[in-house]
Amino acid sequence: MKRVLYGVALIVCAFVMPWWISILFSLIGILYFPHLYEVIFVGLIIDMLYGGTIVVHGVTIMFTIALTISLYVLTNLKPSTKYYCR
């Protein structure tokens, strides 16, 4: 239930807050929740609202690429708790 509420709050934050606050909340969510794929959608929203410098077929995808790489790296860096359970 916490993850659903955080995902909804993150998407609303992408529409209401400045881009840097949405990025900060996305990174915090990636560290707290496992496999928080909602950040890719948040990256798309931020790219559509604010634009960027990387353009593919007329669509800017700078924040989407950055959040996808962050999701991959931070998910693989943090230790998995399933191996430590007895």
Side-chain angles (χ1 to χ4, degrees), residues 29-75:
I30 290 171
L31 290 173
Y32 187 73
F33 296 107
H35 306 291
L36 188 70
Y37 296 117
E38 291 89 347
V39 297
I40 298 171
F41 186 64
V42 169
L44 287 170
I45 292 171
I46 294 172
D47 281 331
M48 295 298 168
L49 290 176
Y50 298 109
T53 57
I54 302 172
V55 178
V56 176
H57 298 292
V59 179
T60 58
I61 55 170
M62 184 178 71
F63 290 108
T64 305
I65 290 174
L67 284 175
T68 303
I69 291 171
S70 299
L71 176 67
Y72 177 75
V73 169
L74 292 176
T75 301

Side-chain angles (χ1 to χ4, degrees), residues 4-31:
V4 173
L5 290 175
Y6 193 84
V8 170
L10 193 61
I11 292 170
V12 169
C13 179
F15 283 110
V16 178
M17 301 288 185
W19 65 269
W20 56 273
I21 293 176
S22 301
I23 298 293
L24 179 68
F25 285 153
S26 296
L27 294 176
I28 291 170
I30 290 171
L31 290 173

